[in-house]
Amino acid sequence: MRLRMPSGRVGRADPADLPRLGMPAPAIEASPAPGQPAVDTDPTHQPAAWQVPMGVRTASEWSWRLIIIAAAVLGTLWVFAYLSEVTVPIIIALLLAALLMPITRGLARVIPRGAAAGLTVLGTLAVIVGALSFVGSQFSAQFSDISAQVGDGIDEIRSWFRTSFGVTDTQVDEWIDKAREELSSGGGNIGETAAQAGLTVTHVLAGFFIAMFALFFFLYDGERIWAWVVRLFPRTSRDRVHSSGVIAWGQLSAFTRATILVAAVDALGIGIVAGVLGVPFASGVAVLVFFGAFVPVIGAAISGAVPVLLALVALGPVQALIMLGGVVAVQQLESHVLQPFLLGRAVRVHPLAVILGIAGGVVVAGILGALIAVPLVAVLNAVGHHLLDGEPVPEALADEVEEAKQLK
């Protein structure tokens, strides 16, 4: 490189020739030697950053950012687990509020909002207690018959094992005794186990009352609570935060309503098949299937295995196969008709994302993780599209946006 001075002298500059403020920079001419490239490619003459390939630099920058994001997510999960006695009831209350809010709003048209929220909560408690009482009464009334049928079924299964696999009763008794010994040896301290069970019951009761109180206030004053949360954010981002919250609430509401319908159809179908076959405790099985269907995909499969096992031990292999066929038929109706028609419209999430979300939820938080995995994935998907792709708020939720803006 050679700098051409206005005075014509090379290497020295006259003060009169120096550039003044507002004047263009002096022209720089490139004077490469013959046969040399016009750009200096010598690595020793280049900055250190230029010596790292662009792909490696990009990967390293993404890596440390992902590490920070992962640390933040793990920290959030740790806080969630540490405060599980509070966070879990709040999540359950949110799901129930998303389901029951239309009932509260309908009652609020004729009675005060507080009374409407209270009646909704009391009605929910009455339904839950009634369902549990019904299951308990049916089980106690049929216990003697179930015991006799199960005993006969076990004898039939043992005879089938003897004829099919050549297994003697002595071998079966030895296997049962060995399993009983391993179970008793691995049980640990009985007193400690009982203390842990008592502590768990205490936590469950405390969480139940927290969930009910939170449900009442979400139904009674949910809009003002959300407006207070929005005001915690900077003014420039409040509109986006509020619209994202409205979209998330819409996804939760649609998911819970669709899940209720799917669970009711599953329980009705499997309950009818069990009743026709004479499976013991058929009504309790229907209630179990109803609650199990709240965990998408795997919940109905696990709860549907119960009537098959009851049919096997109480009625025999043939009735068990027929019961299995009925369970499979109901689940096919759910997966090919109800799920696409109801949940497909309410939650725009691919089935693979549903399966992976449930698996991740089970690994992280067990049964609760499986319960909240799908609505969480649906909410993140909808809010992400709204924030990143600029998707507008649906017209069905536009009124809620305007109503909540007046409370901010």
Side-chain angles (χ1 to χ4, degrees):
M1 297 291 182
R2 181 165 56 87
L3 182 63
R4 175 179 292 179
M5 297 298 182
S7 61
R9 292 174 292 177
V10 178
R12 297 178 60 188
D14 186 74
D17 297 331
L18 293 177
R20 295 179 176 86
L21 186 62
M23 294 178 57
I28 298 178
E29 295 181 352
S31 55
Q36 296 294 327
V39 179
D40 186 4
T41 59
D42 187 359
T44 61
H45 297 168
Q46 297 177 356
W50 293 5
Q51 300 179 19
V52 180
M54 182 59 66
V56 177
R57 292 177 58 191
T58 303
S60 63
E61 292 174 358
W62 272 106
S63 297
W64 68 260
R65 287 179 171 88
L66 290 177
I67 290 174
I68 294 177
I69 294 173
V73 172
L74 291 177
T76 303
L77 292 177
W78 180 85
V79 173
F80 176 85
Y82 185 77
L83 300 175
S84 59
E85 287 82 2
V86 177
T87 54
V88 171
I90 293 299
I91 291 176
I92 295 176
L94 279 174
L95 293 175
L96 289 176
L99 173 65
L100 301 173
M101 184 62 75
I103 299 176
T104 301
R105 289 179 175 174
L107 293 175
R109 296 174 182 174
V110 294
I111 60 177
R113 182 64 178 262
L119 285 178
T120 304
V121 173
L122 292 177
T124 303
L125 288 176
V127 170
I128 295 175
V129 173
L132 296 178
S133 301
F134 175 76
V135 172
S137 62
Q138 292 294 314
F139 181 78
S140 61
Q142 302 179 16
F143 181 76
S144 58
D145 296 336
I146 293 175
S147 300
Q149 290 178 343
V150 168
D152 296 339
I154 291 176
D155 293 337
E156 184 177 351
I157 292 174
R158 295 181 68 169
S159 63
W160 178 72
F161 265 96
R162 286 196 302 267
T163 58
S164 300
F165 301 100
V167 179
T168 63
D169 292 339
T170 304
Q171 291 175 325
V172 174
D173 294 335
E174 290 178 355
W175 293 342
I176 295 174
D177 293 337
K178 185 178 180 180
R180 186 182 296 113
E181 291 176 0
E182 292 181 355
L183 182 62
S184 60
S185 62
N189 190 354
I190 299 178
E192 182 180 354
T193 304
Q196 292 178 353
L199 185 62
T200 302
V201 171
T202 303
H203 287 170
V204 169
L205 291 177
F208 175 77
F209 286 107
I210 292 175
M212 291 299 102
F213 277 109
L215 174 61
F216 170 77
F217 285 108
F218 286 157
L219 295 175
Y220 172 60
D221 213 13
E223 291 84 359
R224 294 187 183 276
I225 294 175
W226 174 243
W228 176 81
V229 173
V230 172
R231 285 196 296 269
L232 298 177
F233 291 85
R235 292 183 179 273
T236 55
S237 59
R238 288 180 182 177
D239 289 338
R240 302 288 285 178
V241 171
H242 174 61
S243 59
S244 300
V246 171
I247 289 178
W249 186 256
Q251 287 288 304
L252 281 180
S253 301
F255 171 80
T256 53
R257 289 194 292 267
T259 302
I260 283 289
L261 293 177
V262 172
V265 173
D266 285 347
L268 182 62
I270 295 178
I272 290 175
V273 175
V276 170
L277 291 177
V279 176
F281 198 49
S283 56
V285 166
V287 176
L288 178 63
V289 171
F290 176 79
F291 287 109
F294 282 92
V295 180
V297 180
I298 63 174
I302 295 176
S303 59
V306 175
V308 176
L309 294 177
L310 286 175
L312 177 63
V313 299
L315 303 178
V318 176
Q319 288 82 355
L321 289 176
I322 298 175
M323 187 71 240
L324 177 61
V327 171
V328 172
V330 172
Q331 292 180 354
Q332 290 297 314
L333 174 65
E334 172 195 342
S335 60
H336 290 89
V337 178
L338 298 178
Q339 292 279 1
F341 182 73
L342 296 176
L343 284 178
R345 291 186 176 184
V347 181
R348 295 180 299 171
V349 179
H350 194 274
L352 179 60
V354 173
I355 296 294
L356 295 179
I358 293 174
V362 170
V363 172
V364 174
I367 298 177
L368 178 66
L371 177 63
I372 66 176
V374 176
L376 179 61
V377 170
V379 166
L380 293 178
N381 179 64
V383 173
H385 280 293
H386 172 66
L387 294 178
L388 300 179
D389 299 339
E391 291 188 0
V393 178
E395 295 182 359
L397 302 175
D399 295 338
E400 296 186 11
V401 174
E402 296 299 329
E403 179 181 353
K405 280 184 177 180
Q406 300 176 0
L407 301 175
K408 289 193 298 180

